[in-house]
Short mmCIF file of all heavy atoms in Angstrom, two decimals:
data_model
loop_
_atom_site.label_atom_id
_atom_site.label_comp_id
_atom_site.label_asym_id
_atom_site.label_seq_id
_atom_site.Cartn_x
_atom_site.Cartn_y
_atom_site.Cartn_z
N LEU O 2 177.15 122.81 12.90
CA LEU O 2 175.80 123.02 12.47
C LEU O 2 175.58 124.48 12.29
O LEU O 2 176.09 125.30 13.02
CB LEU O 2 174.82 122.48 13.53
CG LEU O 2 175.02 121.01 14.00
CD1 LEU O 2 174.18 120.73 15.24
CD2 LEU O 2 174.75 120.04 12.86
N ARG O 3 174.75 124.90 11.31
CA ARG O 3 174.40 126.25 11.16
C ARG O 3 173.07 126.51 11.96
O ARG O 3 172.09 126.09 11.56
CB ARG O 3 174.25 126.70 9.73
CG ARG O 3 174.07 128.19 9.47
CD ARG O 3 173.74 128.56 8.08
NE ARG O 3 174.71 128.04 7.19
CZ ARG O 3 174.44 127.97 5.83
NH1 ARG O 3 173.40 128.38 5.33
NH2 ARG O 3 175.39 127.40 5.04
N ILE O 4 173.21 127.26 13.09
CA ILE O 4 172.10 127.35 13.97
C ILE O 4 171.51 128.80 13.89
O ILE O 4 172.22 129.78 13.88
CB ILE O 4 172.50 127.17 15.39
CG1 ILE O 4 173.22 125.69 15.57
CG2 ILE O 4 171.35 127.15 16.38
CD1 ILE O 4 172.36 124.61 15.17
N ILE O 5 170.15 128.87 13.78
CA ILE O 5 169.48 130.14 13.90
C ILE O 5 168.83 130.15 15.30
O ILE O 5 167.98 129.34 15.55
CB ILE O 5 168.38 130.33 12.80
CG1 ILE O 5 168.98 129.97 11.43
CG2 ILE O 5 167.84 131.72 12.78
CD1 ILE O 5 170.12 130.79 10.95
N HIS O 6 169.17 131.12 16.22
CA HIS O 6 168.73 131.03 17.52
C HIS O 6 167.23 131.39 17.62
O HIS O 6 166.48 130.75 18.33
CB HIS O 6 169.54 132.08 18.38
CG HIS O 6 169.32 131.91 19.84
ND1 HIS O 6 168.16 132.44 20.45
CD2 HIS O 6 170.04 131.36 20.86
CE1 HIS O 6 168.24 132.17 21.74
NE2 HIS O 6 169.33 131.51 22.01
N ARG O 7 166.81 132.49 17.01
CA ARG O 7 165.43 132.96 16.90
C ARG O 7 164.86 133.48 18.18
O ARG O 7 163.74 134.02 18.18
CB ARG O 7 164.47 131.77 16.46
CG ARG O 7 164.74 131.32 15.01
CD ARG O 7 163.49 130.75 14.36
NE ARG O 7 162.90 129.65 15.26
CZ ARG O 7 161.71 129.27 15.12
NH1 ARG O 7 160.86 129.77 14.24
NH2 ARG O 7 161.20 128.28 15.91
N ASP O 8 165.51 133.52 19.34
CA ASP O 8 164.98 134.18 20.50
C ASP O 8 166.06 134.86 21.29
O ASP O 8 166.13 134.76 22.46
CB ASP O 8 164.26 133.12 21.36
CG ASP O 8 163.35 133.81 22.44
OD1 ASP O 8 162.96 134.92 22.18
OD2 ASP O 8 163.05 133.16 23.45
N LEU O 9 166.96 135.51 20.56
CA LEU O 9 168.13 136.21 21.24
C LEU O 9 167.57 137.52 21.90
O LEU O 9 166.94 138.32 21.19
CB LEU O 9 169.18 136.55 20.11
CG LEU O 9 170.54 136.85 20.66
CD1 LEU O 9 171.15 135.49 21.17
CD2 LEU O 9 171.38 137.35 19.57
N LYS O 10 167.80 137.59 23.19
CA LYS O 10 167.38 138.80 23.95
C LYS O 10 168.22 138.90 25.20
O LYS O 10 168.98 137.93 25.50
CB LYS O 10 165.89 138.63 24.27
CG LYS O 10 165.55 137.37 25.07
CD LYS O 10 164.02 137.24 25.23
CE LYS O 10 163.69 135.97 25.89
NZ LYS O 10 162.22 135.78 26.08
N THR O 11 168.12 139.96 25.85
CA THR O 11 169.02 140.26 27.06
C THR O 11 168.80 139.24 28.18
O THR O 11 169.74 138.91 28.87
CB THR O 11 168.82 141.66 27.59
OG1 THR O 11 167.34 141.82 27.87
CG2 THR O 11 169.28 142.71 26.61
N SER O 12 167.57 138.71 28.28
CA SER O 12 167.35 137.72 29.40
C SER O 12 167.94 136.40 28.99
O SER O 12 168.08 135.51 29.95
CB SER O 12 165.90 137.61 29.73
OG SER O 12 165.14 137.23 28.53
N ASN O 13 168.28 136.14 27.71
CA ASN O 13 168.93 134.92 27.36
C ASN O 13 170.42 135.06 27.24
O ASN O 13 171.06 134.13 26.69
CB ASN O 13 168.35 134.38 26.01
CG ASN O 13 166.96 133.78 26.16
OD1 ASN O 13 166.61 133.42 27.23
ND2 ASN O 13 166.21 133.73 25.10
N ILE O 14 170.96 136.20 27.70
CA ILE O 14 172.45 136.35 27.81
C ILE O 14 172.80 136.24 29.29
O ILE O 14 172.49 137.08 30.07
CB ILE O 14 172.85 137.70 27.20
CG1 ILE O 14 172.29 137.97 25.78
CG2 ILE O 14 174.37 137.83 27.25
CD1 ILE O 14 172.70 136.89 24.79
N LEU O 15 173.47 135.11 29.56
CA LEU O 15 173.85 134.86 30.98
C LEU O 15 175.34 135.34 31.19
O LEU O 15 176.07 135.37 30.21
CB LEU O 15 173.70 133.40 31.33
CG LEU O 15 172.32 132.80 31.12
CD1 LEU O 15 172.21 131.40 31.68
CD2 LEU O 15 171.26 133.68 31.74
N LEU O 16 175.65 135.67 32.46
CA LEU O 16 176.99 136.20 32.69
C LEU O 16 177.65 135.37 33.80
O LEU O 16 177.10 134.99 34.82
CB LEU O 16 176.85 137.63 33.36
CG LEU O 16 176.10 138.59 32.45
CD1 LEU O 16 175.90 139.93 33.10
CD2 LEU O 16 176.80 138.81 31.08
N ASP O 17 178.91 134.92 33.48
CA ASP O 17 179.65 134.10 34.43
C ASP O 17 180.33 134.96 35.48
O ASP O 17 180.02 136.21 35.54
CB ASP O 17 180.66 133.25 33.66
CG ASP O 17 181.87 134.09 33.03
OD1 ASP O 17 181.98 135.26 33.33
OD2 ASP O 17 182.55 133.48 32.28
N SER O 18 181.17 134.36 36.26
CA SER O 18 181.83 135.09 37.41
C SER O 18 182.65 136.28 37.01
O SER O 18 182.83 137.22 37.69
CB SER O 18 182.60 134.18 38.25
OG SER O 18 183.60 133.47 37.53
N ASP O 19 183.15 136.20 35.83
CA ASP O 19 183.98 137.37 35.21
C ASP O 19 183.14 138.26 34.31
O ASP O 19 183.75 139.01 33.60
CB ASP O 19 185.18 136.75 34.46
CG ASP O 19 186.13 135.96 35.40
OD1 ASP O 19 186.36 136.45 36.54
OD2 ASP O 19 186.61 134.94 34.97
N MET O 20 181.90 138.11 34.32
CA MET O 20 180.96 138.94 33.55
C MET O 20 181.17 138.72 32.05
O MET O 20 180.89 139.53 31.22
CB MET O 20 181.22 140.43 33.77
CG MET O 20 181.01 140.91 35.23
SD MET O 20 179.37 140.38 35.92
CE MET O 20 178.26 141.56 35.20
N ASN O 21 181.61 137.43 31.70
CA ASN O 21 181.61 137.06 30.27
C ASN O 21 180.27 136.59 29.81
O ASN O 21 179.53 135.92 30.54
CB ASN O 21 182.64 135.94 30.09
CG ASN O 21 184.02 136.27 30.40
OD1 ASN O 21 184.56 137.28 29.92
ND2 ASN O 21 184.78 135.46 31.16
N ALA O 22 179.89 137.05 28.63
CA ALA O 22 178.58 136.73 28.06
C ALA O 22 178.44 135.31 27.54
O ALA O 22 179.36 134.87 26.97
CB ALA O 22 178.20 137.71 27.04
N LYS O 23 177.36 134.66 27.91
CA LYS O 23 177.08 133.33 27.38
C LYS O 23 175.62 133.26 26.84
O LYS O 23 174.62 133.57 27.63
CB LYS O 23 177.16 132.29 28.52
CG LYS O 23 178.48 132.33 29.31
CD LYS O 23 179.50 131.36 28.79
CE LYS O 23 180.74 131.30 29.68
NZ LYS O 23 181.67 130.36 29.28
N ILE O 24 175.51 132.94 25.60
CA ILE O 24 174.19 132.78 24.98
C ILE O 24 173.52 131.44 25.46
O ILE O 24 174.13 130.42 25.48
CB ILE O 24 174.20 132.77 23.43
CG1 ILE O 24 174.89 134.05 22.86
CG2 ILE O 24 172.89 132.61 22.84
CD1 ILE O 24 175.19 134.02 21.47
N SER O 25 172.24 131.61 25.90
CA SER O 25 171.54 130.44 26.40
C SER O 25 170.17 130.31 25.75
O SER O 25 169.85 131.15 24.92
CB SER O 25 171.32 130.59 27.94
OG SER O 25 170.46 131.59 28.23
N ASP O 26 169.39 129.28 26.21
CA ASP O 26 168.01 129.05 25.78
C ASP O 26 167.87 128.84 24.33
O ASP O 26 167.50 129.82 23.58
CB ASP O 26 167.14 130.14 26.35
CG ASP O 26 165.63 129.69 26.37
OD1 ASP O 26 165.33 128.69 25.68
OD2 ASP O 26 164.83 130.31 27.15
N PHE O 27 168.15 127.67 23.81
CA PHE O 27 167.97 127.37 22.40
C PHE O 27 166.62 126.73 22.10
O PHE O 27 166.58 125.92 21.25
CB PHE O 27 169.11 126.45 21.97
CG PHE O 27 170.49 127.12 21.97
CD1 PHE O 27 171.19 127.33 23.10
CD2 PHE O 27 170.98 127.65 20.81
CE1 PHE O 27 172.43 128.00 23.14
CE2 PHE O 27 172.26 128.31 20.79
CZ PHE O 27 172.96 128.45 21.98
N GLY O 28 165.66 127.01 22.93
CA GLY O 28 164.39 126.32 22.79
C GLY O 28 163.62 126.57 21.49
O GLY O 28 162.78 125.78 21.08
N LEU O 29 163.93 127.67 20.79
CA LEU O 29 163.33 128.02 19.46
C LEU O 29 164.30 127.88 18.36
O LEU O 29 163.96 128.25 17.17
CB LEU O 29 162.71 129.41 19.51
CG LEU O 29 161.73 129.71 20.61
CD1 LEU O 29 161.22 131.16 20.51
CD2 LEU O 29 160.59 128.71 20.62
N ALA O 30 165.52 127.34 18.62
CA ALA O 30 166.52 127.34 17.57
C ALA O 30 166.17 126.35 16.40
O ALA O 30 165.39 125.44 16.57
CB ALA O 30 167.88 126.95 18.16
#
C-alpha cells in the first residue's frame, strides 16, 4: 500500500533496545 503518514514527528519515532528507530502512530495516515 502507498501510505502517507501525515503526522511524522519526533514523538512518533520510537526506539528499541538497540536504539533502532521505529515509526509509530498511523492515526492520521
Side-chain angles (χ1 to χ4, degrees):
L2 308 169
R3 189 188 306 167
I4 307 296
I5 313 301
H6 190 282
R7 292 207 306 161
D8 196 23
L9 202 66
K10 55 186 177 182
T11 52
S12 60
N13 284 341
I14 307 301
L15 305 186
L16 304 174
D17 67 12
S18 56
D19 297 319
M20 304 302 286
N21 295 311
K23 308 265 187 176
I24 299 174
S25 73
D26 201 339
F27 291 81
L29 304 181

